[in-house]
Each structure stands twice: as structure tokens, then as C-alpha cells.
Amino acid sequence: MRRNRLLSFAIGLVALQVLVALLAPWLGFQDPFRQVMVQRIKPPNALNLLGTDQLGRDVLARIVYGYRTSLMTCTASVALALVLGGSIGMIAAYTRGWFDRIVMRLMDVLFAFPILLLAIGVIAIIGPNLWSAALAIAVVYTPIFARLLRGPALVICESEYVLGAKAVGASDARIILTHILPNLVSVILVQTSLLLSAAILVEASLSFLGLGAQPPVPSLGLMLSEGRNFLLLAPWPAIFSGLAILFLSFGFNLLGDALRDTLDPRMRSVAGVRA
Amino acid sequence: MTPKFLLGRLIDLAFVMFGVSILVFLMIRLIPGDAVMIMLGANTEITPDRVAELEHRLGLDLPMPVQYAHWIGGALRGDFGTSIWTGRPVTEEIASAIGPTFELTFLAVLVGAGLSIPIGAFMAQARGRGAEVAVRVGAIAGLTIPSFWLGIVSILFVSKLMPGVSMLGYVPFSEDPLGNLQRMVLPVFALCLPMLANLSRLVRSAMLDALGQDYIRTAKAKGAGRRRVVYRHALRNALIPFVTSVGVSVGYLLGGAIVVEQVFAIPGLGRLVLGAISERNYPLVQATILTVTFAFVLVNFIVDLLYATIDPRVTR
């Protein structure tokens, strides 16, 4: 009961933020790009609920559109990593043998880099912009998904229904897609939510460092880094954009955490093998 | 720890380091377009002479395996070549920036891991509905607070409350120990909070797990005191997942340090690598990434060995 309430709260928190971001153009926010020179660095007031930034742009509107940027980038990168890493993990677990050994070794090598440093390395190669950041996050998360899914997939591959499916002559693709994948859904849901939470922080860090979103794109990390230059004069853009990053990341992390509890009985038996 | 276990781990270590070095080596060759043109274009006029000279200096005119052998051979001897624009040896530039980053990361690990044990053990005594939810929400909030935001907000607070306190920049410990530590307080706090939140929660749940085990009942039955049961029996077992988690956290801290350095204007590896990227000084980028990653890999190797010492079962 209590767990379900926490889960509902987490779902509500995430849904609220995602919906506002998705529906932003129709919710009557101001234009996040419009610069009103006479309204520069105004503290929160009736016209601009969260104040304005150094170019006279509405901070609330920029935060809402920053949500869009962040969610778009992170969803794309985590989805790409899930498809790539997930396929690698499942195929490695299913085929075992040389493919498993070579590919997972390669994943170990990628996994050996500190996350942010690997992302920075990728961006150093392809140049700093928002989509480089997305690709960098995907590269960083692919080995994580591969490792996370290979363990549980190994257990499922040994199960009687997979052996049975093999015995009646089902094709490899069919076994992976209809027998292994559905049994990994709970693991995937939990980990995707947790990794989205982390990806939001990585994207914000990269944009903060000037390696992700470039001006004038509304981006939470970029707002924070621009707001830092006016910190003592006008702290609100920096404070509110940071809070927005926190709420977004917190929501997804709590969701993953609460999901793990709700799906626990299955997860525990599977997760135990991973270690 | 059996010799066989140690040997296996050493082989893994060698393989991962080899793989990492290959990837870092390939970096400069993966740049779309002509890396040499891009590097020159950012800073000077492009002439055929200059292109040829830089190509030669980077060794790009040799076959790939030869290039790799040259590069890694130099790297192992601590020679990463000279920085393209300053002409200083890359190793020297890294050596001058490594101190602040090392100190920041080391202090963050020390504070984060050190405080998490008493905090986690304390939190393990709070049970029941309210406590569960509070611990969970608190830990997740701590984990997801962006460290750079925390840093900025703490600068704002301190500058309002205690104007005149210097918080930015870096002074070597050897020159001014107090000034050094004073400037480290906020960055270390901002950097270690996520780790502290994560580890405290882990210590708490591991302690709760351990306290429910048979050997705790046995320890209590033979008359061991409460303190002894908690710290000697439960904690030792709670340490096993703790040690692994500290090792993994070091990777996050090394990444986080890059960002926190930027907030507090600390001249460490983060500043070095970001500056190198904007100058297109790829050899410096490569060398920094290789150095930091090797450090991280080594830390995890040591953690693996520690883990095997605490829990002899893993070596079997």
C-alpha cells in the first residue's frame, strides 16, 4: 500500500514535468527567445513569475523549454543505448561463445572510462553541440545496458521454456524477441528510469561545460552556466534552472526506485545472479 | 587471495588498459575531416609546410601500428610529446594540473565514504514507515542534486553570509595549508554529497540485512555488547557491498571534479581538458583522458583485491 503510494507520487511527478514540457507551446508560456531589453534581470514579478535573465528573456519560459530540450536529448540517447546495449546483452547471453566473450570484453573497455570523461572524449571528436551530447550519452550507456541485461538474460536462457522453444525448433530471433525480451521488461523499465535520471544530470553537466547545447537553445545546464556570471546581481536564473534539473532527475530516480520495489519478487531472484 | 585469482585479475587489468589505450589512440583518427587541418585552422594560417610539419610531429605520416607503438611507448615512459601551442611537454602540463584534481577527489572520497558509515549506521536504527520514506527520498535527492548547482548556491550563500571569505581558486597545500583547506571545503562538499547520500543508504540497508542474520543472533547470545555487535559483526559484512560501491563512485567523482573545478575556478585536469578541447589540442586531450582513465582502472583493480580480502568467498 505504502509502496504503491510512493510509486503513484513518482509517476505523478514525472508525468507532470513531461506533460508540461510536451504541451509547452499550448500552455500560454512566453516566447523563450524573445529579448526585452528594458526587462533585463528583473526579479520574479507578476509578469515574469521566475524573473528575467540578462537578455530580458522570461526565465519560466526558458526553463519549460529547457525541459523539452533535456527530455528530448536524454530520451533519444537512452533509447539508442537501450536498443544497442540491450541487443548486445541479449545476443551475448543467448549465443555465448566467442561473440559473448569478444563483445562483452569490448563493453568492459568502454565501461572502464569515467562516464563524464568518455562523454567529453566523444564530444572532443565530433564537436560540441546538443546532438553530440546525445550521442556521447548513448555511447556511455550502451555498455551499461549490455551488462545490466546480459546477467538476467543468461538466467532466462537456461529456463525450461527457452530450452523447450529451442527443442520445438523456434528460430533464434523468435526466441530472443518473444521469450527472452518480455521477461526482461521489468528490469528494463527500472533501469531505463534510473539511467534517464542520470542522463539528465550528464546532459546538464555537458551543457554547463559548454559541450552540449549552444546558445540560444533553451537548456537548463546552459542557463545555469550563464546565470553564474550574474550570480550576485541576479541569482534567480541559476537557482531556478538548477532546481528544475534536480526535480526532473529526482522524479525519474524515484520512479525507478519505486518500480524496483513494486516489481521486486522477480527482480531479486534475477538480480542476485548479476553480482 | 589465491595466486590464481590475482593472476586472473592482472590479465583482466592488462586487457582493459590495452583496450582503453587503443580507443584513446584512435580518437584523433576518428575526427571527421582532416584532424591536422582542424588543429591548424583554429590557431594559424594553413600552409602545406605547416601541415606536413604537424603531421610529422604527430606521427600521422607513419603506418597505424607503428604510430600506436610510438605513442604508447612514449606514454609508458611518461612522454606524451609536446603541447602543440605552448611547446611545453604534455606531461608537464598534466603534472601541474593533477595535484588540485587529485586533492579534490581524494578529499571527497575521504569525506563521503568516511561520513557515510556513521550516518548509515545511525539511520539503521530508525525503522518503520516514516523513516523508510524519509531515508529513501533524502538519499535520492542527495544523489540527484547537480553538484555544479550545489556549488554555485553554496558560493552565493557564503558570499552573502560571510563576505570577504575567499572561496575560489586554488593555493597549493605546501604554500598555505589553511588557505588550501578553506578553499577546498565547498568544492569537496558539493562533489561528495551524491556519493555520501548513496553510500549512507547502502550502509543502512546492508546493516539492516546483516543485523537480521543468524551470526548476529549468535553474537548476541554469547553476550557480545550492542556496540560490538553493530560495529564488529554487522559492519564488517555491510562493508562488502560498500567497498565495491566506493570504487565505482571514484569514476563519478573524477567526472564530477571536472565540473566542480569549473565552478570554483580550480586549475585542475578538468580545466586543462576543456581548454585543450577549445584549442583543438588533441594530443593533450588524449593524454589527459588516458591518465585519468588509467587512474580509475587502477583504483578499481585495488578495490577488487580489497573485496577479495574482506570476503574470501569471491576468490574461490
Side-chain angles (χ1 to χ4, degrees), chain A:
Chain A
M1 189 59 209
R2 176 174 53 83
R3 281 180 177 163
N4 285 340
R5 225 186 298 158
L6 198 66
L7 182 61
S8 316
F9 174 71
I11 293 176
L13 188 61
V14 168
L16 178 73
Q17 299 183 78
V18 171
L19 279 179
V20 169
L22 275 180
L23 302 176
W26 298 279
L27 292 180
F29 290 107
Q30 302 187 18
D31 177 354
F33 296 98
R34 199 174 57 124
Q35 306 179 3
V36 185
M37 284 305 162
V38 288
Q39 300 280 357
R40 276 179 303 179
I41 46 176
K42 286 269 188 279
N45 58 59
L47 186 64
N48 308 100
L49 289 179
L50 300 182
T52 59
D53 68 3
Q54 73 283 2
L55 296 174
R57 296 173 298 193
D58 183 47
V59 170
L60 177 62
R62 289 196 66 80
I63 285 182
V64 171
Y65 280 82
Y67 267 117
R68 280 167 81 89
T69 310
S70 178
L71 281 170
M72 201 170 60
T73 328
C74 294
T75 314
S77 54
V78 171
L80 182 61
L82 173 63
V83 171
L84 273 179
S87 315
I88 290 174
M90 282 191 298
I91 295 174
Y94 181 75
T95 56
R96 309 290 287 272
W98 63 268
F99 180 82
D100 183 25
R101 241 170 289 149
I102 292 177
V103 173
M104 291 315 287
R105 270 304 171 102
L106 203 74
M107 295 291 115
D108 285 348
V109 169
L110 281 179
F111 197 72
F113 289 88
I115 288 183
L116 200 61
L117 202 65
L118 181 56
I120 289 177
V122 173
I123 292 172
I125 297 173
I126 51 182
N129 64 60
L130 197 58
W131 294 110
S132 309
L135 186 66
I137 295 173
V139 169
V140 171
Y141 282 171
T142 297
I144 300 183
F145 270 117
R147 278 187 159 196
L148 282 171
L149 293 186
R150 180 179 167 273
L154 272 178
V155 181
I156 297 167
C157 287
E158 295 301 315
S159 67
E160 284 171 4
Y161 52 84
V162 169
L163 297 178
K166 272 187 197 166
V168 297
S171 72
D172 293 344
R174 190 185 155 83
I175 293 177
I176 290 179
L177 289 177
T178 64
H179 295 285
I180 299 178
L181 184 60
N183 284 292
L184 290 172
V185 165
S186 51
V187 186
I188 290 175
L189 276 179
V190 171
Q191 295 302 337
T192 304
S193 191
L194 292 176
L195 285 176
L196 255 176
S197 160
I200 289 160
L201 291 178
V202 175
E203 188 272 323
S205 306
L206 291 173
S207 293
F208 178 78
L209 294 176
L211 299 175
Q214 302 294 321
V217 173
S219 143
L220 300 173
L222 196 57
M223 267 180 97
L224 191 45
S225 113
E226 287 173 350
R228 189 174 51 143
N229 301 327
F230 304 88
L231 191 62
L232 296 179
L233 196 63
W236 45 90
I239 290 181
F240 293 128
S241 57
L243 277 177
I245 299 169
L246 171 60
F247 285 147
L248 194 58
S249 180
F250 176 83
F252 279 105
N253 208 302
L254 191 68
L255 179 64
D257 210 76
L259 272 176
R260 177 161 49 199
D261 266 10
T262 314
L263 308 169
D264 199 33
R266 280 279 274 302
M267 297 283 297
R268 226 175 224 176
S269 62
V270 177
V273 182
R274 204 191 298 151

Side-chain angles (χ1 to χ4, degrees), chain A residues 2 5-6 105 108-117 120-121 124-125 197 201 204-205 208-209 211 224 228 231-232 235 238-239 242-243 245-246 249-250 253-254 257-258 261, chain B residues 12 15-16 19-20 23-24 27 30-32 129 132 136-137 140-141 143-146 148-149 152 156 159-160 201 251-252 255 258-259 262-263 274 277 282 289 292-293 296-297:
Chain A
R2 176 174 53 83
R5 225 186 298 158
L6 198 66
R105 270 304 171 102
D108 285 348
V109 169
L110 281 179
F111 197 72
F113 289 88
I115 288 183
L116 200 61
L117 202 65
I120 289 177
I125 297 173
S197 160
L201 291 178
S205 306
F208 178 78
L209 294 176
L211 299 175
L224 191 45
R228 189 174 51 143
L231 191 62
L232 296 179
I239 290 181
L243 277 177
I245 299 169
L246 171 60
S249 180
F250 176 83
N253 208 302
L254 191 68
D257 210 76
D261 266 10
Chain B
D12 284 350
F15 180 85
V16 166
V20 165
L23 280 189
V24 175
M27 208 186 114
L30 287 173
I31 294 166
R129 282 177 168 221
E132 285 291 331
R136 173 185 302 220
V137 170
I140 294 179
L143 193 64
T144 50
I145 285 186
F148 42 104
W149 180 70
I152 289 173
L156 188 63
S159 62
K160 295 271 184 208
R201 188 182 180 192
Y252 286 93
I258 295 176
V259 187
Q262 204 64 10
V263 173
L274 289 172
I277 288 177
Y282 295 117
I289 292 182
V292 176
T293 305
F296 177 46
V297 170

Side-chain angles (χ1 to χ4, degrees), chain B residues 35 38 47 51 63 74 85 95 111 118 138 143 160 216 267 280 285 288-289 311 315:
Chain B
I38 294 174
T47 61
V51 171
W85 313 120
V111 173
L143 193 64
K160 295 271 184 208
I216 296 295
R280 313 259 167 84
V285 177
T288 316
I289 292 182
D311 186 359
T315 58

Side-chain angles (χ1 to χ4, degrees), chain B residues 1 5 9 12 243-244 298-310 314-315:
Chain B
M1 210 186 309
F5 173 80
R9 279 298 132 99
D12 284 350
V243 167
T244 321
L298 274 178
V299 166
N300 275 303
F301 174 71
I302 295 167
V303 163
D304 265 1
L305 297 187
L306 264 179
Y307 185 77
T309 318
I310 302 176
V314 300
T315 58

